Amino acid sequence: EKSKQKEILKNEYYDKQIEKAKRIVPKDQLLIFNPNSGYEPLCKFLDKPIPNTPFPTSNDTKELNRFVYQWKKSAIQAFIIQKICNVYILFA
């Protein structure tokens, strides 16, 4: 029953979103990433070196929370910098 629900959700949402992204986003700006591929395609796409640490493969709650915290921190910092730049531009 659950696998049937997952398949329906995948077909109704995920696949449609992927196809929409492929239509809208320029090819050189889009990466359809499969985590099973590890760091290589992601780092190549971002033009970054491949880390010397193993690619995370677990669903460990602690690991996920640490990742989410770092991601939110980075997003907030980027948001603040953008707002500061916008304010500077307005008053410059």
Side-chain angles (χ1 to χ4, degrees), residues 33-77:
F33 180 66
N34 180 341
N36 293 330
S37 300
Y39 283 123
E40 189 172 345
L42 181 60
C43 293
K44 182 178 179 184
F45 180 78
L46 297 172
D47 195 26
K48 298 291 180 185
I50 297 173
N52 292 328
T53 58
F55 190 81
T57 56
S58 69
N59 279 331
D60 180 39
T61 302
K62 248 187 205 178
E63 185 178 328
L64 178 61
N65 287 339
R66 189 170 41 253
F67 170 79
V68 169
Y69 171 79
Q70 290 298 326
W71 181 82
K72 285 182 180 179
K73 183 178 168 185
S74 297
I76 290 169
Q77 288 171 342

mmCIF file of all heavy atoms in Angstrom, residues 33-77:
data_model
loop_
_atom_site.group_PDB
_atom_site.id
_atom_site.type_symbol
_atom_site.label_atom_id
_atom_site.label_comp_id
_atom_site.label_asym_id
_atom_site.label_seq_id
_atom_site.Cartn_x
_atom_site.Cartn_y
_atom_site.Cartn_z
ATOM 1 N N PHE A 33 20.111 15.778 -9.673
ATOM 2 C CA PHE A 33 21.106 15.081 -8.860
ATOM 3 C C PHE A 33 20.534 13.839 -8.200
ATOM 4 O O PHE A 33 19.470 13.879 -7.596
ATOM 5 C CB PHE A 33 21.632 16.036 -7.784
ATOM 6 C CG PHE A 33 22.658 15.425 -6.877
ATOM 7 C CD1 PHE A 33 23.897 15.042 -7.362
ATOM 8 C CD2 PHE A 33 22.392 15.231 -5.535
ATOM 9 C CE1 PHE A 33 24.844 14.488 -6.531
ATOM 10 C CE2 PHE A 33 23.333 14.684 -4.686
ATOM 11 C CZ PHE A 33 24.564 14.311 -5.192
ATOM 12 N N ASN A 34 21.260 12.747 -8.338
ATOM 13 C CA ASN A 34 20.931 11.509 -7.644
ATOM 14 C C ASN A 34 21.987 11.308 -6.558
ATOM 15 O O ASN A 34 23.171 11.135 -6.886
ATOM 16 C CB ASN A 34 20.940 10.333 -8.621
ATOM 17 C CG ASN A 34 20.595 9.027 -7.954
ATOM 18 O OD1 ASN A 34 20.680 8.881 -6.737
ATOM 19 N ND2 ASN A 34 20.209 8.060 -8.759
ATOM 20 N N PRO A 35 21.601 11.343 -5.290
ATOM 21 C CA PRO A 35 22.588 11.205 -4.212
ATOM 22 C C PRO A 35 23.418 9.930 -4.296
ATOM 23 O O PRO A 35 24.536 9.902 -3.797
ATOM 24 C CB PRO A 35 21.735 11.211 -2.939
ATOM 25 C CG PRO A 35 20.469 11.884 -3.336
ATOM 26 C CD PRO A 35 20.269 11.553 -4.792
ATOM 27 N N ASN A 36 22.908 8.910 -4.951
ATOM 28 C CA ASN A 36 23.670 7.671 -5.095
ATOM 29 C C ASN A 36 24.914 7.871 -5.963
ATOM 30 O O ASN A 36 25.814 7.042 -5.969
ATOM 31 C CB ASN A 36 22.801 6.566 -5.691
ATOM 32 C CG ASN A 36 21.706 6.141 -4.746
ATOM 33 O OD1 ASN A 36 21.860 6.202 -3.525
ATOM 34 N ND2 ASN A 36 20.567 5.744 -5.284
ATOM 35 N N SER A 37 24.962 8.979 -6.680
ATOM 36 C CA SER A 37 26.117 9.273 -7.537
ATOM 37 C C SER A 37 27.294 9.853 -6.762
ATOM 38 O O SER A 37 28.382 9.987 -7.313
ATOM 39 C CB SER A 37 25.708 10.254 -8.632
ATOM 40 O OG SER A 37 24.686 9.707 -9.419
ATOM 41 N N GLY A 38 27.063 10.239 -5.527
ATOM 42 C CA GLY A 38 28.135 10.791 -4.707
ATOM 43 C C GLY A 38 28.448 12.235 -5.050
ATOM 44 O O GLY A 38 27.667 12.932 -5.691
ATOM 45 N N TYR A 39 29.626 12.679 -4.602
ATOM 46 C CA TYR A 39 30.022 14.076 -4.765
ATOM 47 C C TYR A 39 30.338 14.490 -6.200
ATOM 48 O O TYR A 39 30.170 15.645 -6.568
ATOM 49 C CB TYR A 39 31.285 14.362 -3.937
ATOM 50 C CG TYR A 39 31.065 14.527 -2.466
ATOM 51 C CD1 TYR A 39 31.732 13.711 -1.560
ATOM 52 C CD2 TYR A 39 30.241 15.525 -1.971
ATOM 53 C CE1 TYR A 39 31.561 13.877 -0.195
ATOM 54 C CE2 TYR A 39 30.060 15.698 -0.614
ATOM 55 C CZ TYR A 39 30.725 14.870 0.277
ATOM 56 O OH TYR A 39 30.559 15.042 1.607
ATOM 57 N N GLU A 40 30.868 13.569 -7.000
ATOM 58 C CA GLU A 40 31.457 13.943 -8.286
ATOM 59 C C GLU A 40 30.547 14.785 -9.182
ATOM 60 O O GLU A 40 30.938 15.883 -9.600
ATOM 61 C CB GLU A 40 31.968 12.722 -9.043
ATOM 62 C CG GLU A 40 32.764 13.124 -10.258
ATOM 63 C CD GLU A 40 33.438 11.942 -10.921
ATOM 64 O OE1 GLU A 40 33.529 10.859 -10.319
ATOM 65 O OE2 GLU A 40 33.881 12.126 -12.056
ATOM 66 N N PRO A 41 29.320 14.345 -9.514
ATOM 67 C CA PRO A 41 28.507 15.178 -10.417
ATOM 68 C C PRO A 41 28.129 16.518 -9.788
ATOM 69 O O PRO A 41 28.076 17.540 -10.471
ATOM 70 C CB PRO A 41 27.272 14.332 -10.705
ATOM 71 C CG PRO A 41 27.263 13.259 -9.690
ATOM 72 C CD PRO A 41 28.664 13.094 -9.176
ATOM 73 N N LEU A 42 27.894 16.528 -8.498
ATOM 74 C CA LEU A 42 27.530 17.764 -7.809
ATOM 75 C C LEU A 42 28.691 18.750 -7.808
ATOM 76 O O LEU A 42 28.534 19.924 -8.155
ATOM 77 C CB LEU A 42 27.097 17.452 -6.372
ATOM 78 C CG LEU A 42 26.667 18.624 -5.512
ATOM 79 C CD1 LEU A 42 25.472 19.346 -6.120
ATOM 80 C CD2 LEU A 42 26.342 18.138 -4.102
ATOM 81 N N CYS A 43 29.868 18.285 -7.451
ATOM 82 C CA CYS A 43 31.050 19.153 -7.415
ATOM 83 C C CYS A 43 31.431 19.633 -8.809
ATOM 84 O O CYS A 43 31.823 20.790 -8.981
ATOM 85 C CB CYS A 43 32.213 18.432 -6.753
ATOM 86 S SG CYS A 43 31.929 18.129 -4.994
ATOM 87 N N LYS A 44 31.314 18.755 -9.794
ATOM 88 C CA LYS A 44 31.617 19.142 -11.172
ATOM 89 C C LYS A 44 30.652 20.238 -11.627
ATOM 90 O O LYS A 44 31.071 21.238 -12.206
ATOM 91 C CB LYS A 44 31.509 17.919 -12.095
ATOM 92 C CG LYS A 44 31.859 18.200 -13.524
ATOM 93 C CD LYS A 44 31.788 16.942 -14.364
ATOM 94 C CE LYS A 44 32.113 17.255 -15.811
ATOM 95 N NZ LYS A 44 31.966 16.081 -16.659
ATOM 96 N N PHE A 45 29.376 20.073 -11.317
ATOM 97 C CA PHE A 45 28.362 21.061 -11.688
ATOM 98 C C PHE A 45 28.633 22.408 -11.020
ATOM 99 O O PHE A 45 28.498 23.460 -11.637
ATOM 100 C CB PHE A 45 26.973 20.545 -11.289
ATOM 101 C CG PHE A 45 25.860 21.491 -11.618
ATOM 102 C CD1 PHE A 45 25.381 21.588 -12.917
ATOM 103 C CD2 PHE A 45 25.285 22.272 -10.635
ATOM 104 C CE1 PHE A 45 24.354 22.457 -13.227
ATOM 105 C CE2 PHE A 45 24.248 23.141 -10.933
ATOM 106 C CZ PHE A 45 23.781 23.234 -12.231
ATOM 107 N N LEU A 46 29.053 22.382 -9.757
ATOM 108 C CA LEU A 46 29.312 23.606 -9.000
ATOM 109 C C LEU A 46 30.733 24.135 -9.199
ATOM 110 O O LEU A 46 31.089 25.168 -8.638
ATOM 111 C CB LEU A 46 29.065 23.352 -7.507
ATOM 112 C CG LEU A 46 27.633 22.992 -7.128
ATOM 113 C CD1 LEU A 46 27.561 22.575 -5.671
ATOM 114 C CD2 LEU A 46 26.691 24.154 -7.411
ATOM 115 N N ASP A 47 31.521 23.404 -9.969
ATOM 116 C CA ASP A 47 32.920 23.743 -10.207
ATOM 117 C C ASP A 47 33.678 23.877 -8.880
ATOM 118 O O ASP A 47 34.376 24.857 -8.634
ATOM 119 C CB ASP A 47 33.033 25.025 -11.029
ATOM 120 C CG ASP A 47 34.427 25.219 -11.609
ATOM 121 O OD1 ASP A 47 35.133 24.207 -11.812
ATOM 122 O OD2 ASP A 47 34.814 26.370 -11.846
ATOM 123 N N LYS A 48 33.496 22.868 -8.047
ATOM 124 C CA LYS A 48 34.136 22.812 -6.727
ATOM 125 C C LYS A 48 34.925 21.522 -6.618
ATOM 126 O O LYS A 48 34.606 20.522 -7.260
ATOM 127 C CB LYS A 48 33.100 22.864 -5.600
ATOM 128 C CG LYS A 48 32.274 24.132 -5.577
ATOM 129 C CD LYS A 48 33.122 25.298 -5.183
ATOM 130 C CE LYS A 48 32.319 26.586 -5.148
ATOM 131 N NZ LYS A 48 33.128 27.740 -4.877
ATOM 132 N N PRO A 49 35.973 21.520 -5.792
ATOM 133 C CA PRO A 49 36.737 20.280 -5.603
ATOM 134 C C PRO A 49 35.905 19.236 -4.855
ATOM 135 O O PRO A 49 35.026 19.576 -4.062
ATOM 136 C CB PRO A 49 37.946 20.721 -4.768
ATOM 137 C CG PRO A 49 37.518 21.983 -4.111
ATOM 138 C CD PRO A 49 36.513 22.633 -5.019
ATOM 139 N N ILE A 50 36.202 17.997 -5.125
ATOM 140 C CA ILE A 50 35.514 16.898 -4.438
ATOM 141 C C ILE A 50 36.095 16.785 -3.030
ATOM 142 O O ILE A 50 37.306 16.693 -2.867
ATOM 143 C CB ILE A 50 35.678 15.573 -5.205
ATOM 144 C CG1 ILE A 50 35.016 15.704 -6.582
ATOM 145 C CG2 ILE A 50 35.089 14.406 -4.412
ATOM 146 C CD1 ILE A 50 35.252 14.529 -7.494
ATOM 147 N N PRO A 51 35.235 16.815 -2.011
ATOM 148 C CA PRO A 51 35.732 16.729 -0.628
ATOM 149 C C PRO A 51 36.434 15.402 -0.355
ATOM 150 O O PRO A 51 36.172 14.386 -1.005
ATOM 151 C CB PRO A 51 34.471 16.838 0.226
ATOM 152 C CG PRO A 51 33.433 17.399 -0.672
ATOM 153 C CD PRO A 51 33.799 16.985 -2.066
ATOM 154 N N ASN A 52 37.310 15.426 0.622
ATOM 155 C CA ASN A 52 38.012 14.211 1.043
ATOM 156 C C ASN A 52 37.224 13.410 2.059
ATOM 157 O O ASN A 52 37.733 12.456 2.623
ATOM 158 C CB ASN A 52 39.385 14.571 1.632
ATOM 159 C CG ASN A 52 40.323 15.104 0.572
ATOM 160 O OD1 ASN A 52 40.244 14.707 -0.583
ATOM 161 N ND2 ASN A 52 41.188 16.009 0.950
ATOM 162 N N THR A 53 35.996 13.816 2.312
ATOM 163 C CA THR A 53 35.152 13.095 3.272
ATOM 164 C C THR A 53 34.159 12.237 2.505
ATOM 165 O O THR A 53 33.793 12.568 1.384
ATOM 166 C CB THR A 53 34.381 14.078 4.174
ATOM 167 O OG1 THR A 53 33.584 14.926 3.331
ATOM 168 C CG2 THR A 53 35.328 14.932 5.003
ATOM 169 N N PRO A 54 33.738 11.137 3.111
ATOM 170 C CA PRO A 54 32.775 10.277 2.426
ATOM 171 C C PRO A 54 31.440 11.005 2.211
ATOM 172 O O PRO A 54 31.044 11.829 3.030
ATOM 173 C CB PRO A 54 32.573 9.098 3.376
ATOM 174 C CG PRO A 54 33.604 9.228 4.436
ATOM 175 C CD PRO A 54 34.137 10.613 4.399
ATOM 176 N N PHE A 55 30.791 10.700 1.109
ATOM 177 C CA PHE A 55 29.485 11.284 0.834
ATOM 178 C C PHE A 55 28.487 10.734 1.849
ATOM 179 O O PHE A 55 28.442 9.531 2.082
ATOM 180 C CB PHE A 55 29.039 10.944 -0.587
ATOM 181 C CG PHE A 55 27.827 11.698 -1.018
ATOM 182 C CD1 PHE A 55 27.943 13.004 -1.466
ATOM 183 C CD2 PHE A 55 26.577 11.123 -0.953
ATOM 184 C CE1 PHE A 55 26.823 13.725 -1.864
ATOM 185 C CE2 PHE A 55 25.452 11.823 -1.346
ATOM 186 C CZ PHE A 55 25.578 13.134 -1.799
ATOM 187 N N PRO A 56 27.685 11.599 2.460
ATOM 188 C CA PRO A 56 26.725 11.106 3.459
ATOM 189 C C PRO A 56 25.691 10.175 2.823
ATOM 190 O O PRO A 56 25.125 10.505 1.784
ATOM 191 C CB PRO A 56 26.059 12.377 3.992
ATOM 192 C CG PRO A 56 26.463 13.470 3.085
ATOM 193 C CD PRO A 56 27.617 13.014 2.272
ATOM 194 N N THR A 57 25.499 9.043 3.451
ATOM 195 C CA THR A 57 24.567 8.063 2.884
ATOM 196 C C THR A 57 23.520 7.600 3.881
ATOM 197 O O THR A 57 22.719 6.732 3.578
ATOM 198 C CB THR A 57 25.330 6.815 2.398
ATOM 199 O OG1 THR A 57 26.079 6.284 3.493
ATOM 200 C CG2 THR A 57 26.255 7.154 1.248
ATOM 201 N N SER A 58 23.528 8.167 5.059
ATOM 202 C CA SER A 58 22.572 7.692 6.063
ATOM 203 C C SER A 58 21.443 8.686 6.247
ATOM 204 O O SER A 58 21.522 9.836 5.825
ATOM 205 C CB SER A 58 23.283 7.481 7.401
ATOM 206 O OG SER A 58 23.661 8.730 7.946
ATOM 207 N N ASN A 59 20.400 8.238 6.888
ATOM 208 C CA ASN A 59 19.292 9.101 7.261
ATOM 209 C C ASN A 59 19.370 9.406 8.749
ATOM 210 O O ASN A 59 18.370 9.453 9.437
ATOM 211 C CB ASN A 59 17.952 8.431 6.939
ATOM 212 C CG ASN A 59 17.589 8.592 5.476
ATOM 213 O OD1 ASN A 59 17.981 9.553 4.850
ATOM 214 N ND2 ASN A 59 16.847 7.654 4.952
ATOM 215 N N ASP A 60 20.571 9.608 9.218
ATOM 216 C CA ASP A 60 20.800 9.891 10.629
ATOM 217 C C ASP A 60 20.203 11.252 10.989
ATOM 218 O O ASP A 60 20.512 12.263 10.353
ATOM 219 C CB ASP A 60 22.310 9.875 10.896
ATOM 220 C CG ASP A 60 22.657 10.167 12.330
ATOM 221 O OD1 ASP A 60 21.940 9.690 13.226
ATOM 222 O OD2 ASP A 60 23.656 10.869 12.560
ATOM 223 N N THR A 61 19.356 11.297 11.990
ATOM 224 C CA THR A 61 18.681 12.525 12.380
ATOM 225 C C THR A 61 19.672 13.607 12.790
ATOM 226 O O THR A 61 19.530 14.773 12.407
ATOM 227 C CB THR A 61 17.686 12.254 13.529
ATOM 228 O OG1 THR A 61 16.759 11.270 13.095
ATOM 229 C CG2 THR A 61 16.933 13.503 13.913
ATOM 230 N N LYS A 62 20.697 13.232 13.554
ATOM 231 C CA LYS A 62 21.701 14.205 13.977
ATOM 232 C C LYS A 62 22.403 14.820 12.768
ATOM 233 O O LYS A 62 22.603 16.029 12.690
ATOM 234 C CB LYS A 62 22.749 13.523 14.869
ATOM 235 C CG LYS A 62 22.742 13.950 16.279
ATOM 236 C CD LYS A 62 23.939 13.323 16.979
ATOM 237 C CE LYS A 62 23.651 13.209 18.455
ATOM 238 N NZ LYS A 62 24.730 12.570 19.179
ATOM 239 N N GLU A 63 22.781 13.962 11.846
ATOM 240 C CA GLU A 63 23.472 14.429 10.646
ATOM 241 C C GLU A 63 22.566 15.360 9.837
ATOM 242 O O GLU A 63 22.994 16.412 9.367
ATOM 243 C CB GLU A 63 23.888 13.228 9.800
ATOM 244 C CG GLU A 63 24.713 13.563 8.597
ATOM 245 C CD GLU A 63 25.125 12.327 7.819
ATOM 246 O OE1 GLU A 63 25.327 11.260 8.422
ATOM 247 O OE2 GLU A 63 25.245 12.458 6.593
ATOM 248 N N LEU A 64 21.314 14.985 9.697
ATOM 249 C CA LEU A 64 20.361 15.807 8.958
ATOM 250 C C LEU A 64 20.156 17.149 9.651
ATOM 251 O O LEU A 64 20.170 18.198 9.001
ATOM 252 C CB LEU A 64 19.025 15.084 8.804
ATOM 253 C CG LEU A 64 17.935 15.871 8.086
ATOM 254 C CD1 LEU A 64 18.351 16.207 6.663
ATOM 255 C CD2 LEU A 64 16.637 15.094 8.104
ATOM 256 N N ASN A 65 19.985 17.139 10.957
ATOM 257 C CA ASN A 65 19.797 18.385 11.697
ATOM 258 C C ASN A 65 21.009 19.303 11.565
ATOM 259 O O ASN A 65 20.866 20.512 11.421
ATOM 260 C CB ASN A 65 19.499 18.106 13.173
ATOM 261 C CG ASN A 65 18.112 17.555 13.380
ATOM 262 O OD1 ASN A 65 17.239 17.715 12.540
ATOM 263 N ND2 ASN A 65 17.899 16.898 14.497
ATOM 264 N N ARG A 66 22.203 18.724 11.609
ATOM 265 C CA ARG A 66 23.427 19.509 11.452
ATOM 266 C C ARG A 66 23.471 20.132 10.051
ATOM 267 O O ARG A 66 23.789 21.306 9.890
ATOM 268 C CB ARG A 66 24.646 18.628 11.705
ATOM 269 C CG ARG A 66 25.953 19.354 11.777
ATOM 270 C CD ARG A 66 27.129 18.501 12.257
ATOM 271 N NE ARG A 66 27.194 17.157 11.736
ATOM 272 C CZ ARG A 66 26.921 16.044 12.438
ATOM 273 N NH1 ARG A 66 26.580 16.127 13.696
ATOM 274 N NH2 ARG A 66 26.994 14.856 11.887
ATOM 275 N N PHE A 67 23.110 19.359 9.040
ATOM 276 C CA PHE A 67 23.084 19.855 7.671
ATOM 277 C C PHE A 67 22.059 20.987 7.533
ATOM 278 O O PHE A 67 22.362 22.043 6.959
ATOM 279 C CB PHE A 67 22.749 18.726 6.689
ATOM 280 C CG PHE A 67 22.479 19.221 5.299
ATOM 281 C CD1 PHE A 67 23.528 19.561 4.462
ATOM 282 C CD2 PHE A 67 21.184 19.367 4.839
ATOM 283 C CE1 PHE A 67 23.279 20.034 3.173
ATOM 284 C CE2 PHE A 67 20.931 19.839 3.568
ATOM 285 C CZ PHE A 67 21.978 20.170 2.735
ATOM 286 N N VAL A 68 20.861 20.777 8.051
ATOM 287 C CA VAL A 68 19.808 21.784 7.954
ATOM 288 C C VAL A 68 20.225 23.064 8.661
ATOM 289 O O VAL A 68 20.021 24.170 8.158
ATOM 290 C CB VAL A 68 18.466 21.248 8.502
ATOM 291 C CG1 VAL A 68 17.436 22.357 8.650
ATOM 292 C CG2 VAL A 68 17.939 20.139 7.605
ATOM 293 N N TYR A 69 20.847 22.934 9.835
ATOM 294 C CA TYR A 69 21.315 24.101 10.574
ATOM 295 C C TYR A 69 22.321 24.896 9.734
ATOM 296 O O TYR A 69 22.208 26.119 9.601
ATOM 297 C CB TYR A 69 21.954 23.685 11.900
ATOM 298 C CG TYR A 69 22.638 24.823 12.611
ATOM 299 C CD1 TYR A 69 21.891 25.754 13.327
ATOM 300 C CD2 TYR A 69 24.018 24.977 12.543
ATOM 301 C CE1 TYR A 69 22.520 26.816 13.963
ATOM 302 C CE2 TYR A 69 24.648 26.035 13.175
ATOM 303 C CZ TYR A 69 23.899 26.950 13.882
ATOM 304 O OH TYR A 69 24.522 28.000 14.500
ATOM 305 N N GLN A 70 23.303 24.206 9.157
ATOM 306 C CA GLN A 70 24.310 24.878 8.335
ATOM 307 C C GLN A 70 23.682 25.517 7.102
ATOM 308 O O GLN A 70 24.033 26.633 6.715
ATOM 309 C CB GLN A 70 25.417 23.897 7.925
ATOM 310 C CG GLN A 70 26.302 23.471 9.049
ATOM 311 C CD GLN A 70 27.061 24.644 9.660
ATOM 312 O OE1 GLN A 70 27.441 25.581 8.984
ATOM 313 N NE2 GLN A 70 27.264 24.587 10.957
ATOM 314 N N TRP A 71 22.741 24.817 6.492
ATOM 315 C CA TRP A 71 22.071 25.342 5.309
ATOM 316 C C TRP A 71 21.286 26.603 5.661
ATOM 317 O O TRP A 71 21.365 27.612 4.946
ATOM 318 C CB TRP A 71 21.146 24.275 4.731
ATOM 319 C CG TRP A 71 20.439 24.750 3.499
ATOM 320 C CD1 TRP A 71 20.930 24.779 2.234
ATOM 321 C CD2 TRP A 71 19.123 25.280 3.435
ATOM 322 N NE1 TRP A 71 19.984 25.301 1.377
ATOM 323 C CE2 TRP A 71 18.871 25.610 2.088
ATOM 324 C CE3 TRP A 71 18.124 25.496 4.384
ATOM 325 C CZ2 TRP A 71 17.661 26.158 1.676
ATOM 326 C CZ3 TRP A 71 16.923 26.043 3.961
ATOM 327 C CH2 TRP A 71 16.706 26.359 2.617
ATOM 328 N N LYS A 72 20.524 26.553 6.750
ATOM 329 C CA LYS A 72 19.755 27.734 7.174
ATOM 330 C C LYS A 72 20.684 28.899 7.506
ATOM 331 O O LYS A 72 20.412 30.037 7.140
ATOM 332 C CB LYS A 72 18.886 27.408 8.394
ATOM 333 C CG LYS A 72 17.665 26.590 8.063
ATOM 334 C CD LYS A 72 16.849 26.356 9.323
ATOM 335 C CE LYS A 72 15.611 25.543 9.049
ATOM 336 N NZ LYS A 72 14.850 25.304 10.283
ATOM 337 N N LYS A 73 21.775 28.607 8.187
ATOM 338 C CA LYS A 73 22.741 29.642 8.548
ATOM 339 C C LYS A 73 23.282 30.311 7.285
ATOM 340 O O LYS A 73 23.338 31.543 7.202
ATOM 341 C CB LYS A 73 23.873 29.016 9.369
ATOM 342 C CG LYS A 73 24.902 29.985 9.864
ATOM 343 C CD LYS A 73 25.936 29.242 10.696
ATOM 344 C CE LYS A 73 27.136 30.094 10.984
ATOM 345 N NZ LYS A 73 28.185 29.356 11.683
ATOM 346 N N SER A 74 23.647 29.524 6.303
ATOM 347 C CA SER A 74 24.164 30.070 5.045
ATOM 348 C C SER A 74 23.098 30.885 4.315
ATOM 349 O O SER A 74 23.385 31.948 3.765
ATOM 350 C CB SER A 74 24.646 28.945 4.126
ATOM 351 O OG SER A 74 25.713 28.266 4.716
ATOM 352 N N ALA A 75 21.878 30.372 4.302
ATOM 353 C CA ALA A 75 20.785 31.078 3.624
ATOM 354 C C ALA A 75 20.497 32.415 4.300
ATOM 355 O O ALA A 75 20.292 33.433 3.628
ATOM 356 C CB ALA A 75 19.528 30.206 3.612
ATOM 357 N N ILE A 76 20.500 32.423 5.621
ATOM 358 C CA ILE A 76 20.257 33.666 6.361
ATOM 359 C C ILE A 76 21.377 34.665 6.105
ATOM 360 O O ILE A 76 21.125 35.850 5.876
ATOM 361 C CB ILE A 76 20.079 33.377 7.865
ATOM 362 C CG1 ILE A 76 18.753 32.646 8.098
ATOM 363 C CG2 ILE A 76 20.137 34.664 8.694
ATOM 364 C CD1 ILE A 76 18.594 32.073 9.494
ATOM 365 N N GLN A 77 22.614 34.192 6.116
ATOM 366 C CA GLN A 77 23.745 35.086 5.842
ATOM 367 C C GLN A 77 23.636 35.679 4.439
ATOM 368 O O GLN A 77 23.847 36.873 4.247
ATOM 369 C CB GLN A 77 25.065 34.331 6.003
ATOM 370 C CG GLN A 77 25.408 34.024 7.436
ATOM 371 C CD GLN A 77 26.607 33.090 7.561
ATOM 372 O OE1 GLN A 77 26.989 32.417 6.617
ATOM 373 N NE2 GLN A 77 27.181 33.048 8.754
#
